[in-house]
Amino acid sequence: MNKDGKIALVLVIVAGAIITISVFLLFGPPKLMAKTAEPDFCVGCHVMEAEYEAWIHTGAHRREKCVECHLPDENTTAHYLWKSIDGLKDVVVFYSGRVPERVSLTQHGEKVLHANCVRCHESTVMLIDHERQCWKCHRRIAHKHSGLIETF
């Protein structure tokens, strides 16, 4: 094999390794992906304790995991892409010490949450205005108006 062939082979191997490592870091091992989808993982950050306590007392939605409402669900790629983006953002915020006292949704988070409400309750809401955010009328659905948090 000549010098150019060896260089090309090394570049292909390096590119393959980078792609493999990137995919692994993006999607992680299956057990890690399953663990990070559980509400017990979300409450691991102390700032989420109040939201967790409110969620656990919300009735029917208590059966849903955090990711089912808070991550896009139109397709698997978008779900895992935003899970990675939101997860990395949360890690940076947490380990940089810039965690807010009160967690609030971003504009993107509000759109995702609303789309998931409509998706799950599609047969119920098909004749109403889809532009209005569900939690504006159904106030006890929001973490801050349900369960223990309501008394704070």
Side-chain angles (χ1 to χ4, degrees), residues 6 23 42 57 74 101 126:
K6 288 181 183 179
V23 168
C42 299
H57 294 93
E74 63 268 7
E101 278 298 313
M126 70 173 118

Side-chain angles (χ1 to χ4, degrees), residues 92-108:
V92 168
V93 167
F94 184 78
Y95 286 107
S96 69
R98 297 180 7 217
V99 180
E101 278 298 313
R102 193 80 157 131
V103 175
S104 60
L105 283 172
T106 63
Q107 283 185 331
H108 176 263

Side-chain angles (χ1 to χ4, degrees), residues 3 6 12 21-22 47 49 52 74 81 94 100 103 133 146:
K3 185 177 180 182
K6 288 181 183 179
V12 167
I21 290 169
S22 297
V47 75
E49 290 171 357
Y52 180 83
E74 63 268 7
L81 178 65
F94 184 78
V103 175
Q133 295 171 324
S146 62

Side-chain angles (χ1 to χ4, degrees), residues 81-135:
L81 178 65
W82 279 102
K83 184 174 183 170
S84 299
I85 290 169
D86 286 347
L88 288 172
K89 180 190 73 169
D90 292 345
V91 166
V92 168
V93 167
F94 184 78
Y95 286 107
S96 69
R98 297 180 7 217
V99 180
E101 278 298 313
R102 193 80 157 131
V103 175
S104 60
L105 283 172
T106 63
Q107 283 185 331
H108 176 263
E110 286 182 356
K111 290 177 186 173
V112 167
L113 185 62
H114 183 71
N116 285 330
C117 290
V118 170
R119 178 184 49 82
C120 283
H121 300 284
E122 186 174 19
S123 62
T124 306
V125 301
M126 70 173 118
L127 299 175
I128 66 171
D129 177 16
H130 287 253
E131 298 303 313
R132 187 176 207 180
Q133 295 171 324
C134 301
W135 54 93

Side-chain angles (χ1 to χ4, degrees), residues 3-19:
K3 185 177 180 182
D4 289 338
K6 288 181 183 179
I7 291 174
L9 180 62
V10 168
L11 289 175
V12 167
I13 291 171
V14 168
I18 289 172
I19 290 170

